[in-house]
Amino acid sequence: MERYDIAIIGTGPAGLSAAITAKIRNKNILLIGSKTLSPKVEKAHTIQNYLGMPEVSGAELQTAFTDHLADSQIEITEDKIHAIYAMGAYFMLQGSGANYEASSVILATGVSAGRLYEGEEQFLGRGVSYCATCDAALYKGKSAAIVGFSPKEEAEAEFMAEIADKVLYFPMYKDEVQFSEENTKDKIEVIREVPVSVEGSMKAERLVTRDNSYDVDGVFFLRESVSPAQLVPGLKMNGNHIEVTRNMATNIAGCFACGDIVGTPYQYIKSAGEGNVAALAAVSYLDQKKRAQK
Amino acid sequence: MERYDIAIIGTGPAGLSAAITAKIRNKNILLIGSKTLSPKVEKAHTIQNYLGMPEVSGAELQTAFTDHLADSQIEITEDKIHAIYAMGAYFMLQGSGANYEASSVILATGVSAGRLYEGEEQFLGRGVSYCATCDAALYKGKSAAIVGFSPKEEAEAEFMAEIADKVLYFPMYKDEVQFSEENTKDKIEVIREVPVSVEGSMKAERLVTRDNSYDVDGVFFLRESVSPAQLVPGLKMNGNHIEVTRNMATNIAGCFACGDIVGTPYQYIKSAGEGNVAALAAVSYLDQKKRAQK
């Protein structure tokens, strides 16, 4: 497997800034996220304090970012990372599409969508999962509840329904849900209720909503981003945020973080600045490692 | 005297970013520095990693910054600050042109040109000074050595020569020195030697160069920026840099710092990001102070 120098997770201003600087420093980088970049930036009406670009709209800023990536010949790998394991000499990244290896990691996934559900952390890995594609094989002849935070998770539900007997789909958005695959349509039930908790004994056994309780073999929470503590086992947090030094280093050697994920203020120029610092810190980490090996 | 909410010292990317964000938050700001902004940015050939502005030249970036200031209706006060005193409820800023008062201060003066000369700190305030204009009156009938780091300090030497009997001018740059004022010309001696130390007993008595020693009543070091520890008495340093929290707070309540002055990497986008954080931290400091007074 190809081992990248630096894997950068997230395509908001922090991740993009990190990628551009790491690339200039001739590192072999993997930039993972959405090719449409940050939905938060895209939807911003006017941004007044991104120094050098007065009164820029979110859409204009996105275009400028996309142009900068093209100019730097940086490609985005569209994938979602579910877990990152520190293996000592390198990191193993588990994605929906593939697995990856990198000598260092920069986390720039933004602030987590919200709080964890009751029982979510308790049953993680024991019936609770963040990747339907990864775990679908385990659900042959079984049932699964999928809590989807965006319409693109509908494809995940359909894939699960190809294998599982029954899929309960809980859309956490207002858009109309559209399941079109003829062979799985009847196996998916759309339920517009608000999930409250996961219950069980040794493993997850049911998803409880405000109104009902559903017996299932597994529960999937498909958010835009996985919370950092879930993403990287052992990562030191400070409340909702990853604890970092002024150098953007986390408590795990070789793992850096930047942008909204490390704390307020949630501002584009702050994120871009931190991405730059994280990239140079990762470069310096790689250099030191190389020298130590000689 | 008008008391500003926030005084921002420095017109590089850190200071400008701080000013723009503080202005958006409706603070009454004083932005002090050079109207030509940062000479370091101006002279940069191409900047590749200022996210959103690919392959921008230093001159183009300066123009973009100037446009952003104009768009935000922010004026630069051209002055050089020599000392900042924490008075408890506010800060007193001593400039060449005037004195100023502000409830909080953001230091963004960049990295200091170089190391202090031997004896410089020891005799500061006792024959060593950073402001010829401020102290000229004390040199009637006396002699002064002026170490100038840029051609614009020649005007300071001429002003000093109007009052003092003798001025020894040590240019620390290669440009030709041009003294044009007829009435002071003969009182100024240009010496192209490299200063090494200031010597004396109770007060500074001579400037020692590599080749000679010059008896004088006072020695002036006129650099682009005063070193931060000299600028704000009591400021906690970390080597050459000001020690700050992730929030850009220094050890002095109400005094924040950002940009190159707080440490590496010396990168424009990093400085701009930190300026934003410093401004919002200052805004929050002012809010808390206001609430405590109620």
Side-chain angles (χ1 to χ4, degrees):
Chain A
M1 193 185 290
E2 179 174 10
R3 187 172 301 171
Y4 294 93
D5 292 325
I6 308 175
I8 299 160
I9 328 296
T11 47
L16 300 184
S17 177
I20 285 163
T21 290
K23 179 82 186 220
I24 290 171
R25 295 297 297 265
N26 283 321
K27 294 303 163 191
N28 180 16
I29 62 167
L30 172 73
L31 176 60
I32 295 185
S34 165
K35 283 189 181 169
T36 55
L37 306 188
S38 159
K40 215 156 113 185
V41 176
E42 180 81 52
K43 285 173 192 158
H45 187 260
T46 314
I47 296 140
Q48 295 184 293
N49 64 349
Y50 195 93
L51 181 65
M53 301 176 79
E55 302 284 336
V56 70
S57 74
E60 285 164 350
L61 200 55
Q62 291 286 55
T63 304
F65 288 173
T66 305
D67 290 350
H68 207 148
L69 284 187
D71 193 86
S72 306
Q73 297 178 284
I74 294 171
E75 297 272 339
I76 294 173
T77 300
E78 277 221 323
D79 202 345
K80 209 157 106 181
I81 300 298
H82 303 284
I84 298 175
Y85 301 101
M87 312 296 284
Y90 67 97
F91 292 87
M92 216 280 283
L93 291 78
Q94 196 178 75
S96 297
N99 290 344
Y100 311 90
E101 282 183 16
S103 300
S104 66
V105 166
I106 296 176
L107 305 170
T109 53
V111 269
S112 165
R115 266 184 285 176
L116 296 182
Y117 289 98
E118 203 188 311
E120 178 179 339
E121 195 162 16
Q122 186 190 343
F123 293 112
L124 184 65
R126 295 185 295 132
V128 166
S129 170
Y130 299 131
C131 179
T133 313
C134 309
D135 293 355
L138 309 170
Y139 286 83
K140 199 169 157 51
K142 295 188 176 174
S143 66
I146 294 182
V147 182
F149 286 77
S150 88
K152 68 181 170 198
E153 310 304 354
E154 292 164 18
E156 295 272 301
E158 285 181 323
F159 180 70
M160 175 62 78
E162 285 180 22
I163 292 150
D165 268 5
K166 185 79 193 166
V167 172
L168 307 181
Y169 188 73
F170 296 82
M172 302 304 290
Y173 46 87
K174 286 186 181 143
D175 315 54
E176 197 189 337
V177 176
Q178 293 184 309
F179 287 114
S180 48
E181 304 270 342
E182 280 309 319
N183 57 333
T184 56
K185 229 171 156 177
D186 297 343
K187 290 163 97 181
I188 308 177
E189 187 183 341
V190 177
I191 303 173
R192 289 240 177 231
E193 290 179 17
V194 179
V196 172
S197 64
V198 179
E199 289 182 0
S201 52
M202 289 303 286
K203 61 176 288 306
E205 288 163 6
R206 61 196 158 273
L207 178 67
V208 179
T209 67
R210 277 198 204 147
D211 312 296
N212 289 294
S213 174
Y214 297 92
D215 288 345
V216 286
D217 295 303
V219 181
F220 294 84
F221 294 103
L222 306 183
R223 299 188 177 90
E224 277 297 309
S225 59
V226 178
S227 86
Q230 309 300 326
L231 194 63
V232 191
L235 198 61
K236 195 171 174 195
M237 303 292 292
N238 184 352
N240 260 335
H241 300 120
I242 300 175
E243 194 171 297
V244 286
T245 64
R246 290 240 340 109
N247 217 21
M248 300 297 141
T250 70
N251 66 311
I252 297 170
C255 178
F256 303 85
C258 50
D260 289 356
I261 205 176
V262 303
T264 55
Y266 299 148
Q267 300 265 312
Y268 303 127
I269 194 86
K270 174 257 193 194
S271 290
E274 288 181 347
N276 173 277
V277 175
L280 292 172
V283 167
S284 151
Y285 166 82
L286 294 170
D287 286 351
Q288 277 169 27
K289 227 176 98 178
K290 211 171 172 183
R291 243 177 276 138
Q293 281 168 351
K294 276 180 189 166
Chain B
M1 194 185 289
E2 179 174 12
R3 186 172 302 172
Y4 294 94
D5 292 324
I6 308 175
I8 299 159
I9 327 297
T11 48
L16 300 184
S17 177
I20 285 164
T21 290
K23 180 81 188 225
I24 289 171
R25 295 297 297 267
N26 283 321
K27 296 302 164 190
N28 179 17
I29 63 167
L30 171 72
L31 176 60
I32 295 185
S34 164
K35 282 188 182 169
T36 55
L37 307 186
S38 158
K40 214 156 112 185
V41 176
E42 181 82 52
K43 284 173 196 159
H45 185 261
T46 313
I47 296 140
Q48 295 184 294
N49 65 348
Y50 195 94
L51 181 65
M53 302 177 79
E55 303 284 335
V56 70
S57 74
E60 284 164 350
L61 199 57
Q62 291 287 54
T63 304
F65 289 173
T66 306
D67 289 350
H68 207 149
L69 284 187
D71 193 86
S72 305
Q73 297 179 285
I74 294 171
E75 298 269 340
I76 293 172
T77 300
E78 279 221 323
D79 202 346
K80 205 156 111 182
I81 299 298
H82 303 284
I84 298 176
Y85 301 100
M87 311 297 284
Y90 67 98
F91 292 85
M92 214 280 283
L93 290 79
Q94 196 179 75
S96 294
N99 290 343
Y100 311 91
E101 281 184 18
S103 300
S104 66
V105 166
I106 295 176
L107 305 170
T109 53
V111 268
S112 165
R115 267 184 285 175
L116 297 182
Y117 289 98
E118 204 188 310
E120 178 179 340
E121 194 161 19
Q122 185 190 344
F123 293 111
L124 184 64
R126 296 184 296 130
V128 167
S129 169
Y130 299 132
C131 180
T133 315
C134 310
D135 294 354
L138 309 169
Y139 286 81
K140 198 170 156 51
K142 295 187 176 173
S143 65
I146 294 183
V147 182
F149 285 77
S150 87
K152 68 183 170 195
E153 309 304 354
E154 292 166 18
E156 294 272 301
E158 286 182 321
F159 181 72
M160 175 61 79
E162 286 180 24
I163 294 151
D165 268 6
K166 184 79 191 166
V167 172
L168 308 181
Y169 187 74
F170 297 82
M172 301 305 289
Y173 45 89
K174 286 184 181 147
D175 314 55
E176 198 190 335
V177 176
Q178 293 184 308
F179 288 114
S180 50
E181 303 270 343
E182 281 308 320
N183 56 334
T184 56
K185 229 171 155 176
D186 298 342
K187 290 162 96 180
I188 307 177
E189 187 183 343
V190 177
I191 304 174
R192 290 243 177 225
E193 291 179 17
V194 180
V196 172
S197 65
V198 179
E199 290 182 359
S201 53
M202 291 302 286
K203 61 176 288 305
E205 288 164 6
R206 61 195 158 271
L207 178 67
V208 180
T209 67
R210 277 197 204 148
D211 313 293
N212 289 294
S213 173
Y214 297 92
D215 287 345
V216 286
D217 294 303
V219 180
F220 293 83
F221 294 103
L222 307 182
R223 298 187 178 89
E224 276 299 308
S225 59
V226 178
S227 87
Q230 310 300 327
L231 195 62
V232 191
L235 197 61
K236 195 171 174 194
M237 302 294 290
N238 184 351
N240 258 337
H241 300 121
I242 300 175
E243 193 171 299
V244 286
T245 64
R246 290 241 340 112
N247 216 21
M248 300 297 139
T250 70
N251 66 312
I252 297 170
C255 179
F256 303 85
C258 50
D260 289 355
I261 203 176
V262 303
T264 55
Y266 300 147
Q267 299 266 313
Y268 302 127
I269 195 86
K270 174 257 192 191
S271 289
E274 288 181 347
N276 172 277
V277 174
L280 292 171
V283 167
S284 152
Y285 166 82
L286 294 170
D287 287 351
Q288 277 169 27
K289 225 176 101 178
K290 212 171 173 183
R291 243 177 276 138
Q293 281 168 351
K294 273 179 188 166

